[in-house]
Amino acid sequence: MIYNIPYLAVAALILVGLYGVVFKRNLIKMVIGVTLIESGVNLFLITLGYRKGSTAPIYTSSPGGLMSLPVPQALTLTSIVIGVAVLALMLSFVVYIYRHYKTLDARKIGGEDE
Amino acid sequence: MFFDNLPALAVAVPLFGAFLTPLVSKIGDRARNVFVILVMGLTTTVVFLLVNDVFTNGIQTYVFGGSYQPGETVIRIFFEVDGLSAFMAIIAVVLPLVAVIYSWGFMKKETGLDKYYTLILLMTTGMIGLVLTGDMFNFFVFLEITSISSAALVAFWVNKGKAVDAGFKYIVISSIGALFVLFAIALLYGQYDALNMAVLANSIQYTFLDKMALVLLLVALAMKAGIVPMHMWLPDAYGCAPSSVTLVLIGATQASLYGVFRVVFTLYGRELTTAVNQVSLNVLLSVFIVALALATIVVGVLMALKQSNLKRMIAFAAVAEIGYMILAVGAALSTITVDSNTGVTMLTESGEMALKGGLFHIINDALDIGLLFLVAGAIYYATRETSVNKLGGLARNMKYTTVFFLIGLLAVSGMPPMNGFASKLLIYESTYQINPILAVIAILCSILLLAVFVKVFHSVFLGPKLSVFKDTKEVPKSMLLAMGIIAIVIVFFGIFPELVVNNIVQPAADALTDMLKNGLYVKAVLGVI
């Protein structure tokens, strides 16, 4: 049971994130929802890479024994970098939307004809 | 040296060009435009050389950062180019090339064009990478590159609130989709310790986690491909983006569709005939895909009927066209059977034909819908008006544009002698043999599509000359050239469909059914099956 806690946290983060995106009207809260999903997925990747009692795979100064494969960590790092780019883009959209409509309520934007 | 590294160059050239563009922009506008067209031209050359290589010599693999012998542990990043990848790469490179030619005239009066061209080149990089890669994580990265750059381009006209809203919608949808894809990749990695598609396809077991991964991948990629009921972002994004961007967006949407095909036919190709509760996976998938396809076609066409904004109308037609592709592929899936005597997995003849029709329709849809969007852009450029109700009598002032619209109209509604007819006929014929109802719905909706665009043609181009538009002039030459290129290809494909089907579509269809028959995709990496 205790070893499943990270997976439960993953499920909780993703579900809370989805709730935020689907049910919240405030654009900032939707952005927070997306980042929560992202954190959940990153946590999942990191958890997959964990091996009990293993050390970092630095061959020159390793004490020997079990070493964990660094692929999941590398994936997570890449995913975090991409996440930052997405977050920056989404927030800059929100800034423009606020300037144009003077509101962050998803129901009140984008309804006009061109 | 040059010819050995074609797959890497196909991605490296536009990527390098993208980051050089802001520097070249300092010299001058003309230098920048010429530079971008040259970079796109070079990319096109590289991709066509690669495609030629694949069509003559079979699957090409490329390993990044080292050598690799078949049979070693697969840990490096692979590009694996088979017939399907090559087919999609042609679309992914031709659309941006036409778009940058079109942009020369269309975007002339805009500011911030250095960023615009940088993003277009980045988007091209993303699309080409997406279709060439043989690595799941790489696939995710290119998916995100495409999403980020295209969302920024959708919102290019930031002074319009609606465009920014569409961009926001698009980035939320596509980043959530991409995160689902990443989650599915993690599920697969956790079980098989592999990210390489060929290795995964070889070892996949169809366990509970695999089923979860399949659902996540399909939902996320279908969302990005704009399949009903996950199409809400598509009309907004297509409608609000500048027309040149929309043309490239069509390519991005179809690259996601490529992802769907790759997952179903290659990744889960071995397991397609696995039965769960007496129903085999291919039948299950086929029922879902065909149901979604019919919904997509009907909703797309009906929504197109009631739009008054020209670009939104074409966007809904684009939704309907995507429905035709997955209808054909879904119908083909249902015909996969295992011969009980010989144990050979095969498709029926109509299934093969449906597959070919569906794939042929991908390239036709890109051209037809693309041409219509370019014409809509030309109308907007000349009149600054997008509402169909306020336009009229433009045929007198814009002769060439009218002809191009007429070609696009006939092609998109599947009238001979255009290319849309050639692929839709294949789809009708084959789906009729599989289930007549499918063909009936497909034909009816095609007729409705014709009605939609004939109405537009009448109200926009025909009728008395409106006084508001008496000074309207034909659009600049670069835009006419871009539309002309697509129109010529449309007519050519329509007159010689056999040539296209045999030379381009057939290898792609073979690549789709490869995992059922030979498993060459796996063999190219692992050395054995």
Side-chain angles (χ1 to χ4, degrees), chain B residues 365-394:
Chain B
D365 160 74
L367 294 167
D368 304 348
I369 297 284
L371 180 61
L372 285 178
F373 270 118
L374 292 189
V375 171
I379 294 170
Y380 176 75
Y381 181 89
T383 64
R384 297 283 140 187
E385 185 58 67
T386 53
S387 171
V388 176
N389 302 334
K390 290 179 190 155
L391 291 160
L394 289 180

Side-chain angles (χ1 to χ4, degrees), chain A residues 21 27 34 38 41 44-45 48 69 71-72 75 78-79 82 86 89-90 93-94 97 100-101 109-110 112 114, chain B residues 137 140 144 148 151 155 158-162 164-165 167-168 171-172 175-176 179 182-183 186-187 189 195 309:
Chain A
V21 175
L27 295 183
V34 175
E38 194 207 318
V41 175
F44 184 55
L45 276 168
L48 283 177
L69 192 67
V71 172
L75 302 190
T78 317
S79 162
I82 292 173
V86 172
L89 187 63
M90 283 196 294
F93 281 158
V94 174
I97 289 175
H100 195 269
Y101 294 100
I109 59 169
E112 83 279 7
E114 271 183 58
Chain B
F137 190 71
F140 162 76
E144 284 280 32
I148 294 172
V158 279
N159 56 331
K160 291 182 188 168
K162 211 165 170 165
V164 184
D165 179 40
F168 183 75
I171 189 72
V172 168
S175 61
I176 292 176
L179 287 171
L182 184 60
F183 193 75
L187 284 175
Y189 179 80
L195 290 168
N309 180 315

Side-chain angles (χ1 to χ4, degrees), chain B residues 263-283:
Chain B
V263 167
V264 170
F265 283 94
T266 304
L267 215 51
Y268 287 79
R270 282 277 165 79
E271 301 298 323
L272 275 180
T273 47
T274 313
V276 181
N277 301 334
Q278 276 90 47
V279 184
S280 63
L281 177 61
N282 67 322
V283 177

Side-chain angles (χ1 to χ4, degrees), chain B residues 6-234:
Chain B
L6 287 177
L9 281 173
V11 171
V13 169
L15 187 64
F16 195 58
F19 292 113
L20 274 183
T21 309
L23 283 178
V24 178
S25 301
K26 298 282 176 207
I27 303 173
D29 285 358
R30 179 175 282 268
R32 178 200 58 214
N33 291 355
V34 171
F35 174 75
V36 173
I37 290 178
L38 280 180
V39 170
M40 274 314 303
L42 185 58
T43 316
T44 315
T45 319
V46 170
V47 167
F48 272 83
L49 283 172
L50 174 65
V51 167
N52 183 34
D53 210 12
V54 171
F55 285 169
T56 46
N57 302 329
I59 296 178
Q60 303 287 313
T61 53
Y62 184 86
V63 190
F64 281 89
S67 64
Y68 169 80
Q69 295 300 319
E72 287 176 21
T73 315
V74 180
I75 203 154
R76 296 189 187 279
I77 294 175
F78 274 70
F79 267 18
E80 187 165 3
V81 192
D82 66 354
L84 182 63
S85 309
F87 175 76
M88 293 304 296
I90 296 176
I91 300 175
V93 79
V94 168
L95 291 183
L97 177 66
V98 175
V100 291
I101 296 173
Y102 187 82
S103 303
W104 189 314
F106 184 66
M107 302 299 281
K108 205 167 198 164
K109 292 166 191 158
E110 310 288 338
T111 53
L113 283 184
D114 48 342
K115 286 132 202 146
Y116 167 84
Y117 281 115
T118 306
L119 286 169
I120 288 237
L121 285 174
L122 273 179
M123 208 167 150
T124 316
T125 314
M127 287 191 305
I128 296 176
L130 200 61
V131 297
L132 295 190
T133 189
D135 183 280
M136 283 309 275
F137 190 71
N138 225 233
F139 183 83
F140 162 76
V141 172
F142 282 119
L143 196 67
E144 284 280 32
I145 292 177
T146 319
S147 318
I148 294 172
S149 46
S150 46
L153 279 173
V154 166
F156 183 76
W157 284 325
V158 279
N159 56 331
K160 291 182 188 168
K162 211 165 170 165
V164 184
D165 179 40
F168 183 75
K169 242 184 224 173
Y170 184 62
I171 189 72
V172 168
I173 292 275
S174 45
S175 61
I176 292 176
L179 287 171
F180 278 6
V181 170
L182 184 60
F183 193 75
I185 293 169
L187 284 175
L188 293 174
Y189 179 80
Q191 292 181 87
Y192 305 111
D193 282 342
L195 290 168
N196 188 289
M197 287 184 195
V199 177
L200 281 173
N202 191 41
S203 49
I204 213 147
Q205 300 294 325
Y206 200 45
T207 59
F208 174 70
L209 288 178
D210 287 347
K211 286 176 204 165
M212 239 169 100
L214 176 65
V215 170
L216 283 171
L217 283 169
L218 282 189
V219 169
L221 291 170
M223 191 148 83
K224 283 220 63 191
I227 292 166
V228 171
M230 300 162 285
H231 67 289
M232 324 76 67
W233 63 269
L234 196 146

